[in-house]
Structure formats: C-alpha cells, structure tokens
Amino acid sequence: MSANNIGMMDGAYFVGRNEILSWINTTLQLGLGKVEEAAPGAVACQLMDAAHPGAVPMHKVNFDAKNEYDMIQNYKVLQDVFTKLKITKHIEVNKLIKGRPLDNLEFMQWMKRYCDSVNGSFMSSYNATERRESSKGGKETNRRTSVTSHAPPKSASANHKAQASSHGAKRANGHASNAPQRSAKPAPANSAGPAYDAQMTELKLLVDSAEKERDFYFSKLRDVEILCQSPEVEHLPIVKAIQKILYASEDDPSAVAEAQAEMVAQHHQQLQQQPMLSPILEASEAPSITPKDSSEESLMRQEAAAAHKRKSISDLEEFEMGSSSRLRLSNVSDVQLCGSPLMSFT
C-alpha cells in the first residue's frame, strides 16, 4: 500500500488533533475527547476493521482495557492483522500504552492516511456499533457513546428551563433579578473550558516533543562517553579533552576553552619532541654515504692494483735471477780464457 512507508515530512503528520478526533468519532461512532484515549489499542483495531471489513477478529479486541497487559493484547491483534495484510508499519507499543499525546497523535495520523489510501468511502457504509457488540467491553462503550450523544440536548433543555424560570423570577421580584445575573457571570469561564483543554493538550505535545529530543541527544552523549572509556583510546589527549567537556559543571563555562588550550599545548609538545636534522650535518655525512655501485667499483680497483703490484714484484725477482746467472757465466769465461795461446798471442 502507498501508506506503508510514510515519511515524517508527509502531509499526513500535519493533520491537526481536532481533525483526527472528528475523523475517529465519525468513523467509529465514538465520543473521544482526547487523542490519548486511543492508547489502549482497541480504536486502532476497529479502524483496521473498517478499512478491511472482517479482517480483524473483533471478539479478541478489548474496549475495556485498563492495564498494560490488556492493552498489549489489543496491539498483538493489530500486529497480526498487519502481518496478514503485509503491512510493514512498526508499532511502538511501549510508547503508545503510556498514553502520551504526541505518540498517539502520530499513530492516529498514520492510521488516517492508511485508511484514506485503502478505502476512503468506508465511513458511510461501516456499522461500527454493530461490529463492537462482539468485543469485550463493546456494549458498555456503545452505551456510553449513546448517553454522550443524547447529553447535549438534555443540557440545552435544562438551560431553556432555567432561563424561563429566571425570567419568571424577574417578573415576580425585581430585587431577585440580580441573582441570576451574578450566577450567569461564571458562564464565560465554563465556555472557556474547551479552549483551556486544547491549550493544555498543545502544551503536553510540546513537552513530549522536548522529552523525545532530550532523550535522543542524551543517548548520543552516552555513546560518546562509552567510547571514551574504552582502554584503547582513553589515554589519548583528545579523549581527555572530550571527557573534560562532558563532565564539566554548569558553573564552569570555560571547560571548552581549557580543553582547546590543552590540545594546542599537547600538539606543540609533540612537535618539540620530534628530532630536527641540521643542514651542516647532512652535508658532512653525505660523502660517507656511497652508492652500492661505487663501493663495488672501488673494490675492483683495489684488487687490480694489488694484482699489478704482485706482478711487478714477480717480474723484479725474475730479472734479478737472470742477471745473477749471466754474471756467473762471465766469470767462468774469464777463468777458462785466461792463459789461452790465442789470447797470449794477441
């Protein structure tokens, strides 16, 4: 159905309290004076029976529910009907049975939106009194409703008789004519009774709205407090600052400023603890840091120099050995040629 998912900004939730009461009383032939009188749940059950005739087992509905147990039984019947009709609306039973005007007004606004979207012409054809007969307390409700509907004409005739008697008294005694006038002065106060009740209802709605908003923000603050108390983050400076604001008293308006000052000081301290590198130190340490390729090339040069040195030493040793052998041969020749006839001839 189109009314299954009605947002809070839908026009259904801007319908006034008086219009809702008039719609309920006209549809179900009741005499409700306040929206919270629908808190027991029987009214909602019969509204669903009016939208879907025969879908609600009216013999299980209790119009005389006074305690929470009986009210919850009515809402169980309503929830079963929702399930059977595949309506996904969530019923906040715990809030409705408390009789808060705002919660019951919102639920009745939703009911009107749903009933209008399903069958807008059921008001003229639905026999609410007959359907209530099978319910517990339904006959008493019908009896009270009939008495209430006949009460205004009786009061009007009584007022007419009182006015006639007052006129007769005025004719009989001129001095006694002041007494009805004095007694008639409180009439504006009586006529202001409905306006006073309406004003009280509006104030109750405002109080309920403020309480819901208060509970919402309190739950958020409680979640933040639980998070700050976890061992993983409770030692962080920002968590301590948040706790300082949470636990500050009303007489301490400087809690926010102090928390900010602590955060700034902690930030500066962290910056000071970080090591600072000097440009001179970096320049002096730069030559000592050589790439891997340079170190391998230097090692290769050193090995080549060592090999060249060893080769030079070996060449020098071979040269010395050769010169010494030639010297020995020259000495031997000198000995052999000494005393030779040829040499002596020459």
Side-chain angles (χ1 to χ4, degrees):
M1 300 299 176
S2 60
N4 275 354
N5 300 317
I6 303 175
M8 289 303 297
M9 297 306 295
D10 190 89
Y13 291 103
F14 293 94
V15 180
R17 176 183 60 87
N18 294 329
E19 184 177 350
I20 292 294
L21 287 174
S22 176
W23 172 73
I24 294 174
N25 292 332
T26 302
T27 305
L28 304 182
Q29 300 175 15
L30 292 174
L32 301 184
K34 298 179 181 179
V35 179
E36 53 267 30
E37 293 180 15
V43 172
C45 290
Q46 192 168 12
L47 287 173
M48 289 302 300
D49 185 69
H52 302 277
V56 181
M58 292 299 295
H59 64 280
K60 295 183 179 180
V61 180
N62 186 0
F63 278 87
D64 197 26
K66 302 296 182 183
N67 53 54
E68 292 187 358
Y69 176 79
D70 294 335
M71 296 179 186
I72 292 175
Q73 297 305 314
N74 286 336
Y75 284 107
K76 284 185 178 180
V77 174
L78 182 63
Q79 186 63 62
D80 292 340
V81 175
F82 278 15
T83 303
K84 182 168 62 176
L85 298 175
K86 296 181 180 180
I87 300 174
T88 59
K89 170 68 175 176
H90 175 66
I91 305 174
E92 297 181 349
V93 180
N94 294 330
K95 293 183 179 181
L96 294 175
I97 62 178
K98 292 180 181 179
R100 292 182 176 179
L102 182 60
D103 296 327
N104 284 274
L105 176 61
E106 290 180 355
F107 188 62
M108 287 296 106
Q109 287 170 338
W110 183 91
M111 289 294 300
K112 185 178 186 306
R113 176 71 174 83
Y114 177 80
C115 293
D116 291 344
S117 65
V118 173
N119 185 8
S121 61
F122 68 86
M123 295 183 182
S124 59
S125 60
Y126 181 72
N127 193 342
T129 304
E130 182 180 353
R131 290 290 294 169
R132 263 197 308 270
E133 290 290 333
S134 61
S135 303
K136 183 178 179 180
K139 295 181 179 179
E140 290 78 6
T141 302
N142 291 337
R143 191 178 301 112
R144 289 195 301 268
T145 304
S146 62
V147 171
T148 304
S149 61
H150 293 298
K154 292 182 179 179
S155 61
S157 61
N159 292 334
H160 180 70
K161 291 180 181 179
Q163 290 177 359
S165 62
S166 64
H167 286 300
K170 286 181 181 180
R171 296 189 186 95
N173 188 0
H175 296 285
S177 62
N178 294 329
Q181 293 177 357
R182 294 191 186 95
S183 62
K185 288 182 179 179
N190 295 331
S191 63
Y196 177 77
D197 293 339
Q199 186 177 5
M200 289 297 295
T201 303
E202 294 296 332
L203 291 176
K204 288 181 180 179
L205 293 175
L206 290 176
V207 171
D208 290 341
S209 178
E211 288 179 353
K212 291 178 68 175
E213 187 175 2
R214 177 202 63 189
D215 296 340
F216 172 78
Y217 287 111
F218 178 79
S219 64
K220 295 297 181 183
L221 290 175
R222 178 57 181 161
D223 294 340
V224 173
E225 183 183 25
I226 294 174
L227 178 62
C228 292
Q229 291 175 353
S230 59
E232 294 81 3
V233 298
E234 63 179 355
H235 63 281
L236 298 177
I238 188 171
V239 173
K240 294 181 179 179
I242 293 174
Q243 289 178 340
K244 187 178 186 63
I245 296 174
L246 285 177
Y247 301 140
S249 60
E250 296 180 357
D251 300 333
D252 188 12
S254 61
V256 178
E258 293 179 358
Q260 291 178 348
E262 291 180 0
M263 289 296 299
V264 173
Q266 185 69 24
H267 180 66
H268 289 321
Q269 184 177 1
Q270 291 177 355
L271 291 178
Q272 292 177 358
Q273 290 177 355
Q274 293 179 356
M276 299 296 292
L277 296 177
S278 174
I280 300 177
L281 181 60
E282 293 178 356
S284 62
E285 292 180 352
S288 63
I289 301 175
T290 58
K292 182 179 179 181
D293 296 339
S294 300
S295 60
E296 292 179 355
E297 185 178 356
S298 176
L299 182 60
M300 292 176 63
R301 287 198 299 269
Q302 291 178 2
E303 290 180 354
H308 181 69
K309 184 177 181 181
R310 287 195 297 272
K311 185 178 180 180
S312 301
I313 293 173
S314 61
D315 294 342
L316 181 60
E317 290 178 353
E318 290 178 359
F319 177 76
E320 290 179 351
M321 291 177 62
S323 59
S324 60
S325 60
R326 286 193 298 272
L327 179 60
R328 286 195 297 271
L329 290 175
S330 61
N331 293 334
V332 171
S333 61
D334 292 339
V335 173
Q336 292 177 353
L337 294 175
C338 184
S340 172
L342 297 175
M343 293 297 296
S344 60
F345 176 76
T346 58

